[in-house]
Amino acid sequence: MTISRRTLLGTGAALGLLTACGSNTGRDGGGSGGEGPRLSHWYHQYGEAGTEQAVKRYAAAYDKADVRVQWRPGNYDEQTAAALLTASGPDVFEVNGPTLDQIRGGQVVDLTDLLDGVKDDFNPVVLAPKTHEGRIWAVPQVVDMQVLYYRKSLLADAGLKPPGTLDELVDAAKELTTKKTKGLFLGNDGGAGVLGGTPLYAAGLSLVTDDGEVGFDDPAAARALAKVRELYAAKSLLLGAPSDWSDPSAFVQELTAMQWSGLWALPAVRKAFGDDFGVLPFPADGPDGRPAVPVGAYGAAVSARTKHEQAAKEYVKWLWVDRTDHQRDFALSYGFHIPARRSLAAKADPLTEGPAADAVRYSTEHGYAEPLLWTPASRTAYQDALSRVIKSGANPERELRSVVRKVSAELSRVQKRSS
Amino acid sequence: MRARGAGSGRAGRAEAGRPRGPAGRAGTGRAPRTGPGPGARAPLARRLAGPQNRNLWFWVFVGPFALGLLVFTYVPLGWSVYLSFFDAHNTVSPTEFVGLDNYTAMLKDEAFTDSLWTFAVFTAFIVPTTFALSLSLALMVNRLRRAQAFFRSVFFLPAACSYVVAALIWKMSLFNGVRFGLANTVLGWFGADQTAWLSTTDPPWYWLVIVTVRLWLQAGFYMVLFLAGLQRIPPVLYEAAAVDGARPGWQVLRHITLPQLRATSVAVVLLLVINAFQAFDEFYNLLSDARGYPPYARPPLVYLYYTALGQGQNLGLGSAGAVLLALVIAVVTIGQARWLGLGRADEKGA
């Protein structure tokens, strides 16, 4: 049989149409097969092995709805922000927020009643940024915190004690820098991203005060930032490492003697160095200073565009309020996270000894969470200024003045409309 | 170009099936009517279809793409202009009209005006550099007697590589900041200290990374365009020049090759400028991290991406910036077309 050009093109077109009509997107899986409505539940991609299987197992164990887990790599915040604008987004989603504008824009559902009776059991520091005008908009899943990892042996060899002030940290980083190893790793951008407001809290200030005003309009702020600049200028910082601060690889590969990272990295660090490491809070600076530890929490939120609001809320309550066994497994079995429930955190055996216990103690004594009023616009303005101070040696006072101006404009925008 | 190409490709595919419905219906639905129905409708349908159904076929072929263009380009464009006059935080159907506030805010925003400068400087640098590099590659490859096809392919191959992949290779292995990165290994042979290529602002080493990745990706493609142009130059011109005593080398290049390449050069410059305007992929993949983007080497598209689509979700402000950017691009493109004499060049070249 000869194949004419027309037959060939026609067949091709027909096949193309068939393919285009196919509905298998390869995104099934993780379905619980439970009775009831179908709910889609989004998670960002966790780095720790086993987490994905775990959340799919939890979803499969729920029998009142058919929960489909989507494990989403890539820019998760952007993906959820865009998905919330449409009806095809998730019903339940994990969010590093929600942001004030998402709450105000009515994009997430009020979850206050899910926490009836157990609200006091949730860590108040991480619950505060999920709360707006007395209503709760997401259920905190686990508490994440950042700490400074250091190698005990390297500090001892250099005759140093663990740095207790920011000045000591600057000196220690300089002393520990050798031809092969840098003193400190604050992320590939020199710390502007991950440190954020931490140096300000270490100087006894804050990002936004309790009254909703700018919290760092103070000369101590410029002094603290200038010291972070010193770390960069003295070439004590590791920059351009293959993995960023959230991954302990740079520390484990001995590219740096100290690294700012998350508590989640602790199992990997302990595997590499045994007992030869310790953790510290960000050290205090100046007379009014106090050590600072940033804590935060991914929360489970319900999209306001879901068609099954009641079912979605019940599922969130089941997973993140009632099923403490799943919460414990999620927090402690893969990486190290502190359970968001204080009763669970107290019983968490892996967190009661060694550096992990120190870290947990720091989080209760020195923990701070970015306030809800610290909006992305404020964060960008501050982070740009911090980057210019650290990398280009811009004058911290002048940079901070312009940030204070922008942040107070932003604060008055978000507080004007809420009243 | 890349992003839009992919987008319209998708649009084309998605739309390909749809207009078949109406078109098919017009055929099957009307055919019976034109047969038995003697009324005035039959001539009208036939008139609409045109001689030999030409109008019908015109819409069958053009319709899907016109529809795709409308739905995926013009509607979003118009919507974006509409959004730019509203306070649109986290919504695409805003209610609070703010007039020109978004525009004044954007023009007063130093980060945005800085990004426009970044963009201007980048364009002013990358366009002549790529032009010169690809032209010289083409001249060299054109002179080869043997293995011309081999070298042509070797230089063209990087054009097939994705910007994202190339940017990641540049970031992770060639120009990472630690001692085992390729660039730092080479520096190490000479006893120099390791350099954090993407984090050093003084001197601004990050430009070296950004510019080299783009040159590597682009030069081969434009080299092929130049080669095609070179091969169209009639050899008699060179022979005549040689007879007239023109010295081979600069004189021949200046007075024969370059004027003959005028049409190609205009096209290449135009494409290069458009490509530079769309700078996003390699910047974003080289310099961004989970916590955002540094305040340097931030072209407007990257800045607007964070304003409108990042967690900020200020779609009104982002749209205002996009409209301003579109105006700048329109002015530059029109100016360039005037200055280079687009169209005139075609007549001469052909």
Side-chain angles (χ1 to χ4, degrees):
Chain A
M1 178 189 140
T2 54
I3 299 173
S4 75
R5 184 160 44 178
R6 190 170 292 178
T7 324
L8 187 68
L9 286 175
T11 320
L15 282 176
L17 271 178
L18 281 178
T19 329
C21 294
S23 62
N24 186 351
T25 57
R27 285 227 184 97
D28 291 349
S32 71
E35 301 288 311
R38 178 183 289 191
L39 297 175
S40 81
H41 187 176
W42 286 17
Y43 288 92
H44 84 286
Q45 183 183 33
Y46 284 78
E48 298 104 13
T51 319
E52 182 181 4
Q53 289 72 19
V55 297
K56 286 187 173 161
R57 206 167 56 235
Y58 310 151
Y62 188 59
D63 51 11
K64 293 210 188 69
D66 177 14
V67 181
R68 303 282 168 123
V69 168
Q70 279 196 27
W71 192 251
R72 301 192 76 93
N75 298 357
Y76 183 77
D77 291 342
E78 282 85 354
Q79 291 175 20
T80 46
L84 289 183
L85 297 173
T86 69
S88 56
D91 301 297
V92 178
F93 63 107
E94 173 185 75
V95 62
N96 189 11
T99 66
L100 185 56
D101 283 303
Q102 281 172 339
I103 296 173
R104 282 273 238 22
Q107 293 189 306
V108 285
V109 169
D110 182 354
L111 300 180
T112 314
D113 47 337
L114 301 192
L115 267 62
D116 273 347
V118 290
K119 193 182 153 206
D120 293 337
D121 192 32
F122 278 87
N123 185 323
V125 179
V126 296
L127 194 57
K130 315 277 180 219
T131 312
H132 180 56
E133 295 177 341
R135 315 299 296 172
I136 295 164
W137 301 90
V139 182
Q141 300 177 167
V142 285
V143 180
D144 280 316
M145 60 175 295
Q146 295 161 18
V147 280
L148 181 68
Y149 289 84
Y150 66 96
R151 291 283 300 283
K152 286 180 180 162
S153 59
L154 292 180
L155 263 73
D157 291 349
L160 296 163
K161 61 182 177 56
T165 66
L166 187 49
D167 292 305
E168 285 174 20
L169 179 67
V170 173
D171 292 340
K174 204 184 290 180
E175 289 285 322
L176 291 168
T177 299
T178 64
K179 189 94 183 146
K180 296 224 148 168
T181 306
K182 289 287 187 182
L184 176 62
F185 184 42
L186 293 176
N188 284 327
D189 58 356
V194 63
L195 287 186
T198 307
L200 303 178
Y201 282 89
L205 305 167
S206 63
L207 290 169
V208 180
T209 63
D210 295 338
D211 317 330
E213 302 283 330
V214 181
F216 51 93
D217 193 1
D218 189 294
R223 280 200 296 275
L225 298 192
K227 284 172 193 164
V228 184
R229 158 72 184 166
E230 264 179 64
L231 283 167
Y232 180 92
K235 294 189 186 293
S236 333
L237 290 184
L238 174 67
L239 297 161
S243 59
D244 216 348
W245 63 271
S246 58
D247 186 322
S249 302
F251 187 62
V252 169
Q253 292 166 7
E254 305 194 46
L255 296 171
T256 176
M258 301 185 278
Q259 178 178 340
W260 186 256
S261 189
L263 180 64
W264 56 84
L266 199 136
V269 173
R270 192 170 52 205
K271 201 171 144 210
F273 297 130
D275 290 332
D276 181 21
F277 77 99
V279 294
L280 286 173
F282 193 85
D285 179 53
D288 302 320
R290 58 189 179 206
V293 172
V295 298
Y298 267 92
V302 175
S303 163
R305 291 192 185 247
T306 174
K307 290 185 192 75
H308 313 289
E309 184 178 321
Q310 205 46 46
K313 282 169 79 171
E314 274 164 24
Y315 166 65
V316 169
K317 183 169 190 313
W318 174 84
L319 182 56
W320 294 114
V321 180
D322 297 340
R323 288 301 294 261
T324 47
D325 53 334
H326 287 338
Q327 293 157 33
R328 199 193 125 80
D329 178 64
F330 184 75
L332 299 167
S333 300
Y334 311 101
F336 267 25
H337 310 267
I338 307 172
R341 304 279 295 265
R342 288 195 282 192
S343 57
L344 283 182
K347 284 187 286 182
D349 294 335
L351 301 177
T352 51
E353 52 181 20
D358 292 339
V360 173
R361 188 162 48 80
Y362 300 145
S363 80
T364 43
E365 287 170 13
H366 310 301
Y368 85 88
E370 282 193 355
L372 190 59
L373 289 173
W374 187 245
T375 56
S378 298
R379 188 180 305 130
T380 307
Y382 172 76
Q383 200 167 307
D384 282 2
L386 186 54
S387 172
R388 279 191 286 264
V389 169
I390 294 177
K391 289 194 191 166
S392 319
N395 181 335
E397 280 159 35
R398 207 180 41 234
E399 289 291 333
L400 279 175
R401 261 203 304 280
S402 98
V403 176
V404 166
R405 211 170 43 239
K406 281 183 203 159
V407 171
S408 43
E410 178 73 2
L411 284 174
S412 62
R413 172 184 79 84
V414 294
Q415 293 180 82
K416 176 188 69 191
R417 282 201 312 178
S418 71
S419 56
Chain B
M1 186 122 207
R2 299 168 303 282
R4 198 172 299 163
S8 61
R10 222 177 297 134
R13 229 177 314 147
E15 291 309 305
R18 211 175 291 167
R20 290 200 154 207
R25 234 180 289 133
T28 51
R30 274 178 203 164
R33 241 184 266 145
T34 42
R41 297 187 64 99
L44 179 70
R46 212 175 293 152
R47 248 202 334 264
L48 277 179
Q52 295 174 325
N53 285 345
R54 271 185 205 162
N55 291 347
L56 182 69
W57 287 114
F58 173 80
W59 285 112
V60 167
F61 285 113
V62 173
F65 297 100
L67 195 70
L69 198 67
L70 185 76
V71 171
F72 294 98
T73 305
Y74 291 119
V75 170
L77 210 75
W79 200 272
S80 162
V81 174
Y82 168 80
L83 281 178
S84 70
F85 294 108
F86 286 83
D87 178 5
H89 276 89
N90 296 63
T91 174
V92 286
S93 47
T95 48
E96 200 178 325
F97 184 76
V98 293
L100 290 173
D101 281 7
N102 282 329
Y103 287 91
T104 48
M106 212 61 199
L107 286 172
K108 274 193 211 148
D109 183 0
E110 276 167 39
F112 181 68
T113 44
D114 280 357
S115 75
L116 287 178
W117 276 116
T118 300
F119 176 50
V121 170
F122 176 67
T123 309
F125 183 81
I126 195 76
V127 172
T129 318
T130 320
F131 187 92
L133 183 70
S134 42
L135 179 59
S136 29
L137 278 179
L139 288 171
M140 284 191 280
V141 171
N142 197 36
R143 283 176 68 96
L144 287 174
R145 297 253 165 70
R146 286 186 304 171
Q148 201 192 62
F150 171 75
F151 281 101
R152 202 170 50 206
S153 319
V154 164
F155 288 125
F156 181 70
L157 263 182
C161 180
S162 124
Y163 269 66
V164 177
V165 171
L168 289 180
I169 292 171
W170 251 246
K171 178 183 186 168
M172 306 280 194
S173 45
L174 302 187
F175 286 100
N176 72 23
V178 291
R179 58 181 186 266
F180 46 73
L182 182 72
N184 280 331
T185 308
V186 173
L187 281 186
W189 294 339
F190 301 101
D193 266 347
Q194 62 198 45
T195 303
W197 300 97
L198 287 165
S199 308
T200 311
T201 52
D202 184 29
W205 284 122
Y206 50 87
W207 279 124
L208 179 74
V209 185
I210 294 168
V211 165
T212 47
V213 71
R214 190 166 264 245
L215 282 177
W216 183 77
L217 283 165
Q218 283 196 338
F221 177 74
Y222 295 105
M223 177 202 75
V224 169
L225 295 191
F226 276 125
L227 264 181
L230 284 174
Q231 281 160 4
R232 261 184 28 176
I233 302 175
V236 287
L237 287 177
Y238 291 105
E239 285 156 17
V243 170
D244 285 348
R247 277 180 313 255
W250 175 246
Q251 212 171 25
V252 170
L253 179 74
R254 166 79 184 75
H255 293 287
I256 305 217
T257 313
L258 289 186
Q260 287 290 317
L261 276 180
R262 192 182 147 79
T264 315
S265 308
V266 169
V268 166
V269 169
L270 210 68
L271 288 175
L272 277 174
V273 171
I274 289 171
N275 259 339
F277 279 158
Q278 290 173 340
F280 180 86
D281 306 25
E282 77 270 43
F283 283 83
Y284 183 78
N285 285 291
L286 284 170
L287 288 167
S288 77
D289 58 43
R291 294 290 175 129
Y293 194 93
Y296 50 82
R298 180 164 58 186
L301 281 182
V302 173
Y303 181 65
L304 295 175
Y305 169 76
Y306 277 103
T307 309
L309 304 177
Q311 270 213 320
Q313 287 279 309
N314 192 343
L315 296 165
L317 194 63
S319 300
V323 172
L324 289 172
L325 187 63
L327 286 178
V328 170
I329 293 177
V331 167
V332 170
T333 315
I334 292 169
Q336 195 188 7
R338 276 281 165 89
W339 180 62
L340 289 172
L342 215 64
R344 260 194 300 145
D346 271 2
E347 286 157 32
K348 260 191 202 169

